[in-house]
């Protein structure tokens, strides 16, 4: 393989090698989206068009009643659609109701069926109210005129959905961020007369610019420039006349204020700085300057002139500028020259004040020898610097047990250079008139490292073999965590995908705690420790209680559930070694100051399941549990081990720091490459922009996807955005199955236990209906 060429590396950061296709006209993505939105807005009947139609064709005395009827239709549409959707969806539903009832006297069977097919179950009173309101509106204008209006709006040609949206598009985005240390454009010019000096601007544009014949100023432009520029001078004189800032002259304050106004800072940042400089007495002045900031800056920076900048007498003339010249400077040289120019400006200001009679301040001089030494040192440093001038430090600390593909990709040169992220290879696309679908295949599993060795149950001690009886070996993730979880007291944070076996990792930490209280002869001191497992929900707590009870039964360890539904007496708590509880219940237990102090002091292991709930509404409860546990460790100098179990989270380092986990020992992060069952992803995008039609198309696509999985013998779970959408979506799926004659695919098999289960469900329903 030949080594990479330097020119290729340089071209990757530029547009030199970009190939342009002159045969096709490129379309910007943003412009094409706007054009498409305008096209959809012009097509079809919309609610604003309905409102405009009735407003134009009715008299003024009837407009108030018309507005009331239109609001009644919108209210009915809101009741039918629901409150979880936006205003666009409600207006689209109102248009659907208007088109449905404009030639009907009452809500008939066909209208009910059409509304039910579009929205699902709906209140009949809302449909009656919409029908009555539409009828009253049509009666005022005439059915024939309304019918002609609807036909005119819906007679447009249907949009061509066959063309693929996304072909021949130029993605316009900025690849690089501007360097915060870059100087202003006028500071990079070789002439020093173009700096941010208020006096120099006034002298350049107001004084003798009209001496030569070519540089005569226009009177109107000059008057406008000086008028805008005099705002600053007038406000400064007014401020100083009030006895404020006696130590500064008007010229100095004008120069300082002009430099601040011409900076790149926002108005909010500049307001704070101006208030610190001028104090509360200059509040009105600050308001005026910020309001007229663009006029003041533009008038002084772009005042009419002959296109040339005058130089201050006594300053060395600028060097001639030749075309196509290249100046190579290091970052240190650029900053040094910037400092040099700034000091030269200050020196000229001091000289001018000395000529006016003021005592000169101590001058700042540069030693040529020192400058030469600094330049030589900068050149020596540049030899070891990268070829590209943009230096970035993307060094990440490598943690031994963190398997994060995104973090590894972010360290590559393409990611740092701002290259576009692409979809993986092997994707499949489907594009039709209804939707566009992208199928992303599952990730390849993580290659097995040479240090990874599976842990077999036969290699464990007697306690481990009793608990994991029936298992041959631990899975891959459990084998990686085994040494730290089973043989150390380190706090742990395990971030792994769902179904990766995090519960067995919690069991390893439980066995480690039991082994620490094991006496010679195989006797376990059960009264010296307590283990607390915090589950996020009561149902999960009951499931974990059943699981740990069966596993720990050979060791004689008692596991009890402590939730709001399962109360335990003090005697039962003392006879229990492991408690499975919820965050709220354990928070109440540990808040008590007297009753349960002995219980909290016996806790030696705290297992927090689903730690990523820190970001949810119940996060503060988990935070208080961890903070109270850490405070107990510090105050009593006792050992309480914390184990956090979570799905993959992006800020695992922050959570590890919060749980006092050593990231080099106890932090374990496994991304999707460690899933026991690889996960594929399918994205489906509905094409229509009509909100009501979107709901209908989404239900239809959802039904097709569900039926495909059911026919393949899989189970399906459908998630929706709102609670009331659950019933609507279910009724829509049932209606589609009946209409297509495919209800048999959704009926369960009548096995030997079907009758017994059906009888139990009937009894439960009768009991709940009493």
């Amino acid at each position: 393989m030949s080594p990479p060429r330097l020119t290729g590396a340089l071209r990757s950061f530029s547009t030199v090698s970009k190939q342009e296709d002159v045969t096709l006209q490129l379309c910007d993505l943003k412009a094409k989206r706007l054009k498409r939105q305008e096209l959809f807005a012009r097509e079809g009947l919309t609610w604003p068009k309905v409102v405009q139609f009735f407003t134009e064709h009715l008299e003024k005395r009837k407009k108030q009643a018309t507005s009331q009827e239109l609001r009644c239709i919108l209210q009915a549409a809101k009741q039918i659609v629901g409150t979880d959707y936006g205003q666009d969806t409600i207006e689209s539903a109102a248009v659907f109701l208007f088109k449905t009832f404009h030639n009907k006297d009452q809500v008939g069977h066909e209208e009910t069926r059409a509304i039910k097919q579009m929205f699902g179950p709906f209140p009949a009173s809302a449909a009656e109210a919409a029908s009555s309101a539409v009828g009253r509106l049509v009666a005022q204008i005439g059915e024939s005129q309304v019918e002609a209006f609807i036909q005119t709006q819906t007679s447009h040609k249907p949009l061509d959905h066959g063309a693929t949206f996304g072909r021949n598009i130029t993605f316009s985005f900025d690849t690089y961020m501007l360097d915060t240390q870059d100087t202003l454009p006028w500071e990079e010019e070789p002439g020093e007369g173009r700096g941010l000096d208020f006096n120099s601007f006034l002298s350049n544009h107001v004084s003798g610019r009209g001496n030569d014949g070519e540089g005569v100023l226009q009177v109107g432009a000059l008057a406008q420039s000086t008028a805008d520029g005099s705002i600053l001078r007038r406000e400064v004189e007014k401020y100083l006349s009030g006895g404020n800032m006696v130590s500064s002259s008007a010229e100095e304050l004008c120069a300082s204020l002009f430099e601040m106004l011409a900076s790149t800072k926002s108005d909010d940042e500049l307001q704070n700085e101006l208030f610190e400089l001028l104090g509360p007495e200059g509040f009105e002045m600050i308001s005026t300057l910020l309001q007229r900031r663009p006029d003041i800056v533009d008038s002084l920076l772009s005042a009419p002139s002959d296109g040339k900048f005058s130089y201050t007498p006594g300053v060395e003339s600028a060097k001639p500028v030749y075309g196509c010249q290249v100046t190579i400077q290091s970052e240190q040289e650029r900053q040094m020259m910037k400092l040099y120019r700034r000091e030269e400006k200050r020196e000229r200001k001091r000289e001018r004040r000395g000529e006016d009679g003021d005592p000169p301040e101590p001058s700042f001089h540069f030693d040529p020898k020192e400058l030469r030494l600094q330049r030589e040192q900068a050149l020596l440093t540049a030899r070891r610097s990268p070829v590209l001038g943009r230096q970035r430090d993307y060094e990440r600390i490598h943690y031994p047990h963190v398997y994060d593909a995104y973090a590894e990709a972010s360290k590559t040169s393409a990611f740092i250079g701002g290259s576009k992220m692409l979809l993986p290879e092997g994707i499949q696309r489907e594009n039709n008139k209804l939707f566009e679908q992208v199928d992303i295949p599952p990730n390849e599993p993580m290659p097995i490292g040479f240090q990874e060795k599976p842990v077999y149950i036969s290699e464990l001690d007697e306690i481990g073999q009793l608990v994991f009886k029936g298992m041959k070996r631990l899975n891959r993730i459990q084998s990686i965590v085994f040494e730290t979880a089973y043989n150390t007291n380190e706090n742990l944070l395990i971030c792994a995908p769902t179904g990766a076996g995090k519960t067995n990792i919690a069991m390893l930490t439980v066995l480690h705690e039991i082994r620490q209280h094991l006496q010679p002869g195989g006797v376990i001191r059960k009264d010296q420790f307590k283990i607390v497992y915090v589950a996020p929900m009561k149902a999960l707590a009951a499931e974990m209680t059943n699981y740990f009870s069966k596993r720990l039964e050979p060791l004689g360890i008692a596991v009890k559930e402590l939730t709001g539904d399962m109360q335990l007496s003090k005697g039962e708590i003392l006879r229990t070694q492991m408690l499975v509880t919820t965050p709220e219940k354990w928070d109440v237990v540990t808040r008590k100051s007297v009753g349960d102090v002995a219980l909290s002091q016996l806790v030696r292991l705290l297992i927090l399941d689903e730690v990523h709930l820190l970001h949810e509404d119940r996060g503060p409860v988990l935070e208080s549990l961890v903070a109270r546990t850490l405070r107990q460790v510090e105050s009593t100098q006792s050992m309480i081990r914390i184990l956090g179990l979570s799905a993959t989270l992006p800020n695992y380092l922050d959570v590890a720091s919060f749980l006092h986990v050593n990231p080099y020992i106890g932090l374990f992060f496994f991304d999707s490459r460690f899933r026991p069952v690889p996960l594929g992803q399918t994205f489906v995008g509905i094409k229509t922009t009509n909100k009501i039609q979107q709901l209908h198309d989404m239900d239809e696509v959802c039904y097709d996807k569900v039926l495909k999985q059911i026919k393949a013998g899989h189970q399906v779970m459908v998630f929706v955005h709102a609670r009331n959408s659950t019933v609507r979506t279910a009724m829509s799926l049932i209606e589609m199955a009946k209409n297509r004659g495919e209800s048999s695919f959704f009926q369960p098999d009548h096995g030997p236990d079907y009758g017994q289960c059906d009888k139990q469900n009937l009894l439960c329903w009768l009991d709940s209906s009493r």
Side-chain angles (χ1 to χ4, degrees):
M1 179 178 178
S2 60
R5 294 180 58 191
L6 177 60
T7 55
L10 291 174
R11 283 198 302 271
S12 63
F13 286 86
S14 65
T15 57
V16 174
S17 59
K18 182 178 179 181
Q19 299 294 331
E20 298 289 347
D21 189 359
V22 297
T23 60
L24 298 177
Q25 182 179 2
L26 297 178
C27 299
D28 186 70
L29 180 61
K30 184 180 295 184
K32 193 165 185 178
R33 284 177 176 170
L34 292 176
K35 183 178 179 181
R36 191 175 180 86
Q37 291 177 2
E38 294 175 358
L39 184 60
F40 277 116
R42 290 195 300 267
E43 296 292 334
L45 182 62
T46 60
W47 184 250
K49 293 180 181 179
V50 174
V51 175
Q52 183 181 3
F53 172 75
F54 284 101
T55 304
E56 294 176 351
H57 291 79
L58 289 177
E59 301 176 359
K60 289 185 178 180
R61 56 187 179 87
K62 296 183 180 180
K63 286 186 178 180
Q64 185 175 1
T66 304
S67 301
Q68 185 66 27
E69 301 297 343
L70 293 174
R71 283 195 294 269
C72 182
I73 299 175
L74 280 177
Q75 186 65 25
K78 186 176 182 180
Q79 295 178 5
I80 293 176
V81 175
T83 58
D84 296 314
Y85 298 97
Q87 185 67 21
D88 295 339
T89 306
I90 296 175
E91 290 181 356
S92 300
V95 172
F96 178 81
L97 295 176
F98 178 76
K99 294 171 64 176
T100 303
F101 296 122
H102 77 277
N103 55 358
K104 306 293 182 182
D105 296 334
Q106 59 183 358
V107 183
H109 179 70
E110 295 182 359
E111 291 77 20
T112 304
R113 182 178 180 182
I115 298 175
K116 187 176 181 181
Q117 184 178 2
M118 181 63 69
F119 304 103
F122 64 95
S125 59
E128 293 287 350
S131 177
S132 302
V134 173
R136 289 190 292 268
L137 287 174
V138 173
Q140 296 180 8
I141 294 182
E143 185 175 344
S144 59
Q145 193 171 356
V146 174
E147 185 72 28
F149 166 69
I150 295 177
Q151 292 294 334
T152 302
Q153 295 297 326
T154 57
S155 62
H156 297 289
K157 296 188 299 181
L159 294 176
D160 183 16
H161 294 284
T164 304
F165 178 73
R167 184 193 307 166
N168 193 24
I169 291 179
T170 299
F171 290 86
S172 57
F173 59 91
D174 296 332
T175 306
Y176 303 108
M177 298 294 292
L178 290 178
D179 193 353
T180 56
Q181 296 180 346
D182 288 346
T183 56
L184 296 174
W186 49 81
E187 290 186 0
E188 297 297 332
E189 296 294 332
E192 294 297 332
R194 201 177 175 179
L196 291 180
D197 188 1
F198 181 78
N199 295 324
S200 63
F201 274 106
L202 291 181
S203 62
N204 288 342
H205 298 292
V206 179
S207 63
R209 280 299 184 116
N211 296 333
D212 51 354
E214 299 177 357
V216 180
L217 298 177
Q218 296 181 1
V219 178
L222 179 59
Q224 177 66 27
S225 173
T226 54
D228 294 332
S230 62
I231 297 175
L232 179 61
R233 181 76 179 206
R234 185 173 62 252
E235 293 294 331
V236 168
E237 292 178 351
K238 180 179 177 182
Y239 174 76
L240 294 179
S241 62
N244 303 312
M245 203 176 295
V246 184
S247 59
S248 298
S249 62
E251 290 76 11
E252 293 178 355
L253 187 55
C254 285
S256 301
L257 292 176
F258 177 69
E259 291 182 5
M260 297 172 69
L261 293 175
S263 63
T264 58
K265 297 180 180 179
S266 62
D267 288 349
D268 295 335
E269 299 174 349
L270 200 58
Q271 181 179 0
N272 297 332
E273 294 184 5
L274 289 174
F275 189 80
E276 293 178 0
L277 176 64
L278 302 176
E281 295 81 7
F283 185 78
E284 296 182 359
M285 177 181 175
I286 294 173
S287 177
T288 304
L289 293 181
L290 291 180
Q291 290 177 1
R292 303 295 299 274
R293 179 184 179 183
D295 298 334
I296 296 173
V297 176
D298 293 342
S299 63
L300 295 176
L301 290 180
S302 59
S305 66
D306 57 353
K308 304 176 183 178
F309 288 95
S310 62
Y311 292 91
T312 308
V315 180
E316 181 182 352
S317 60
K319 298 179 181 180
V321 179
Y322 301 99
C324 302
Q325 72 174 16
V326 178
T327 303
I328 299 177
Q329 286 183 332
S330 64
E331 182 67 21
Q332 292 83 358
E333 289 178 323
R334 193 171 67 87
Q335 294 297 326
M336 186 171 59
M337 295 303 298
K338 183 178 177 182
L339 178 63
Y340 179 73
R341 290 194 299 268
R342 186 181 299 118
E343 292 298 332
E344 277 191 342
K345 295 177 185 178
R346 293 178 182 174
E347 185 64 24
R348 288 197 298 272
K349 290 181 182 179
R350 295 190 189 100
E351 292 178 357
R352 285 196 298 270
R353 284 197 294 268
E355 294 174 359
D356 295 339
D358 296 336
E361 299 178 1
S363 59
F364 188 87
H365 297 285
F366 282 92
D367 187 5
K369 294 182 179 180
E370 183 180 355
L371 288 176
R372 184 175 299 171
L373 291 176
Q374 291 180 3
R375 178 172 177 78
E376 291 177 356
Q377 183 64 32
L379 291 175
L380 291 175
T381 306
R383 293 177 58 184
R384 300 185 295 269
S385 301
V387 175
L388 302 174
R390 189 179 292 268
Q391 300 179 6
R392 299 169 185 249
D393 296 328
Y394 282 92
E395 297 181 1
R396 291 180 177 268
I397 302 176
H398 176 70
Y399 299 104
H401 307 300
V402 172
Y403 303 91
D404 190 355
Y406 180 79
E408 295 174 1
S410 62
K411 293 185 291 187
T412 59
S413 59
F415 189 92
I416 296 173
S419 299
K420 291 183 292 186
M421 304 298 291
L422 303 177
L423 292 174
E425 296 181 356
I427 66 170
Q428 297 179 357
R429 292 181 180 268
E430 180 182 352
N431 195 355
N432 53 37
K433 294 183 179 180
L434 189 63
F435 61 89
E436 183 177 0
Q437 176 176 322
V438 178
D439 295 327
I440 301 179
N443 292 333
E444 294 293 332
M446 179 74 178
I448 299 177
F450 67 93
Q451 295 181 348
E452 296 184 28
K453 296 180 181 180
V455 176
Y456 291 90
I457 304 301
S458 58
E459 300 175 357
L460 303 181
D461 52 13
E462 185 177 356
I463 291 181
Q465 293 181 10
L466 282 175
V467 173
F468 290 104
K469 185 177 180 181
M471 296 176 59
K472 183 179 179 181
R473 64 182 181 90
L474 301 178
N475 65 12
R476 186 179 179 184
I477 292 178
Q478 296 163 0
S479 300
I480 295 174
V481 185
F482 172 78
E483 184 63 30
T484 307
Y486 198 70
N487 295 322
T488 66
N489 284 321
E490 290 287 337
N491 292 347
L492 293 175
L493 174 61
I494 312 297
C495 302
T498 305
K502 295 189 288 292
T503 306
N504 280 343
I505 296 176
M507 181 64 74
L508 292 176
T509 59
V510 171
L511 294 182
H512 171 72
E513 190 62 37
I514 295 174
R515 288 166 58 224
Q516 285 187 321
H517 298 86
L518 184 65
Q519 292 184 343
V523 179
I524 301 175
R525 296 295 302 271
K526 301 178 182 179
D527 56 343
Q528 292 184 353
F529 68 95
K530 288 284 189 295
I531 300 172
V532 178
Y533 188 100
V534 180
M537 296 179 295
K538 295 179 182 179
L540 186 58
E543 182 181 348
M544 290 295 104
T545 302
N546 188 22
Y547 173 80
F548 284 104
S549 297
K550 291 182 179 179
R551 289 288 184 179
L552 297 176
E553 186 179 1
L555 301 180
I557 301 298
V559 182
K560 296 289 185 181
E561 178 185 351
L562 180 61
T563 59
D565 299 336
M566 301 293 294
Q567 299 292 338
L568 300 177
S569 62
K570 282 192 175 182
E572 290 176 329
I573 292 178
L574 291 176
R575 293 190 297 270
T576 302
Q577 287 75 48
M578 185 172 181
L579 296 172
V580 182
T581 180
T582 57
E584 289 78 11
K585 183 64 177 179
W586 188 244
D587 182 40
V588 172
V589 171
T590 53
R591 280 179 185 272
K592 295 182 179 180
S593 58
V594 179
D596 296 319
V597 173
L599 172 61
S600 61
Q601 289 180 352
L602 287 176
V603 175
R604 293 294 176 266
L605 175 61
L606 177 63
I607 302 174
L608 302 174
D609 198 2
E610 308 294 344
V611 183
H612 56 268
L613 294 178
L614 283 168
H615 188 59
E616 305 296 333
D617 296 335
R618 305 166 68 188
V621 182
L622 285 175
E623 290 182 9
S624 62
L625 293 182
V626 175
R628 200 172 294 128
T629 303
L630 295 176
R631 185 182 64 180
Q632 181 180 345
V633 171
E634 294 176 356
S635 59
T636 62
Q637 295 297 315
S638 59
M639 177 61 197
I640 301 179
R641 189 181 191 184
I642 300 177
L643 169 63
L645 304 176
S646 170
T648 53
L649 13 123
N651 57 336
Y652 48 86
L653 290 176
D654 298 333
V655 179
S657 175
F658 172 67
L659 298 178
H660 285 207
V661 174
N662 187 344
Y664 294 95
I665 302 176
L667 175 59
F668 292 85
F669 181 88
F670 304 95
D671 56 13
S672 59
R673 295 174 296 175
F674 287 85
R675 282 186 175 273
V677 178
L679 181 65
Q681 302 179 60
T682 300
F683 297 91
V684 180
I686 304 299
K687 287 189 174 182
T688 180
T689 57
N690 190 302
K691 300 297 181 181
I692 301 302
Q693 191 65 29
Q694 279 183 1
L695 299 177
H696 185 267
D697 293 350
M698 286 175 63
D699 291 341
E700 186 175 350
V701 174
C702 177
Y703 176 80
D704 295 337
K705 300 298 180 184
V706 168
L707 184 62
K708 180 180 179 181
Q709 297 297 328
I710 291 293
K711 290 182 178 180
H714 303 303
Q715 296 181 351
V716 184
M717 182 177 294
V718 180
F719 292 90
V720 293
H721 293 286
R723 181 171 296 180
N724 62 351
S725 300
T726 307
V727 178
R728 190 192 68 80
T729 305
M731 297 301 295
S732 300
L733 296 179
I734 293 173
E735 190 73 22
M736 290 181 186
K738 290 181 180 179
N739 295 337
R740 300 183 184 184
E742 298 171 342
S743 302
S744 59
F745 292 103
F746 298 91
Q747 296 178 354
D749 297 332
H750 292 194
D753 298 332
Y754 178 79
Q756 184 68 20
C757 295
D758 194 14
K759 182 178 179 181
Q760 290 181 358
N761 292 334
L762 179 62
L763 291 176
C764 293
W765 181 80
L766 291 175
D767 183 60
S768 62
S769 61
R770 290 177 182 175

